[in-house]
Amino acid sequence: MIKLLVGLGNPGQQYEKTRHNAGFLFLDHLMDSKGGGWSVSQQFQGQVANISVAGMRLDMLKPMTFMNKSGLSVGKMLRYYKLKPEELLVVHDELELPEGVVKMKRDGGHAGHNGLRDIIAHIDTRDFFRLRIGIGRPAMGANVADYVLSKPSAQGFSLLDAAFSLLEGHIESLAAADISMINDRLAR
């Protein structure tokens, strides 16, 4: 069972709606649909909230440490609540998936994603769940950093929003870490 849902992104208005902030965008979508709000936590160096899923509390975290230092915030929250890494689901952008395609997995490397790299370093394991939100790849020869830190097109936003709505409809399966259901129903 997932007890901590972490969305990865960068704080600040200039990053607000960028591809790299797909994790923040999904958690914000959930909070908007549930009518909740975020609280600033100095202790966890992030914004925190919680929702109820099937009668269980699901804590949520948006690290405000910038992407490359996400592990600091995540590690503090895991230790404070005495959570196991397998109770963690990290939502992040994924270049290797087309825009709006969602896949869930457990374990694995960081595949060059600096947010995942820092989390692995801080919690000393790769054994946690990941929800990969497809943002597509930039055109051949384009700068990857510029691409991930830019805003998607209107169609790209529409694809992300549709994926977020589908995920919201399957939040119980997500919280139960039902990888096959999420991948079978949501991978297009």
Side-chain angles (χ1 to χ4, degrees):
M1 185 75 175
I2 301 301
K3 295 184 179 174
L4 177 59
L5 182 59
V6 174
L8 296 186
N10 284 309
Q13 191 173 7
Q14 70 270 33
Y15 302 111
E16 206 169 79
K17 302 273 185 185
T18 63
R19 291 175 176 93
H20 215 24
N21 276 30
F24 279 12
L25 293 171
F26 174 60
L27 268 59
D28 287 339
H29 177 95
L30 275 180
M31 288 308 295
D32 289 346
S33 70
K34 301 288 184 188
W38 293 97
S39 299
V40 174
S41 170
Q42 297 301 325
Q43 178 181 8
F44 301 127
Q45 293 178 271
Q47 293 181 359
V48 295
N50 65 69
I51 59 174
S52 179
V53 177
M56 302 287 289
R57 177 182 164 134
L58 178 60
D59 285 303
M60 298 192 298
L61 170 68
K62 294 192 306 183
M64 294 290 127
T65 53
F66 286 93
M67 183 71 75
N68 296 353
K69 301 288 184 187
S70 297
L72 185 64
S73 182
V74 173
K76 285 181 178 187
M77 200 156 178
L78 280 178
R79 285 186 295 278
Y80 181 83
Y81 286 108
K82 297 178 174 61
L83 298 176
K84 300 173 192 157
E86 59 268 19
E87 295 172 317
L88 168 66
L89 174 60
V90 176
V91 184
H92 65 90
D93 59 305
E94 177 60 62
L95 284 165
E96 300 304 325
L97 294 174
E99 281 184 312
V101 172
V102 176
K103 290 204 177 185
M104 187 174 181
K105 73 177 197 171
R106 181 174 178 176
D107 205 347
H110 54 74
H113 193 289
N114 289 327
L116 292 176
R117 181 190 323 261
D118 199 60
I119 291 170
I120 291 166
H122 274 84
I123 67 173
D124 199 31
T125 185
R126 301 175 324 171
D127 188 21
F128 56 91
F129 290 93
R130 299 102 189 274
L131 184 64
R132 302 160 57 214
I133 308 292
I135 61 168
R137 277 210 156 271
M140 187 66 89
N143 183 291
V144 173
D146 290 343
Y147 177 77
V148 299
L149 294 175
S150 67
K151 296 178 181 184
S153 66
Q155 180 186 5
F157 271 122
S158 179
L159 291 169
L160 287 175
D161 194 50
F164 296 162
S165 293
L166 283 169
L167 285 166
E168 178 190 347
H170 296 286
I171 192 68
E172 288 185 19
S173 295
L174 199 62
D178 188 344
I179 293 174
S180 61
M181 196 296 301
I182 295 296
N183 289 343
D184 290 348
R185 300 248 172 104
L186 301 178
R188 295 179 252 203

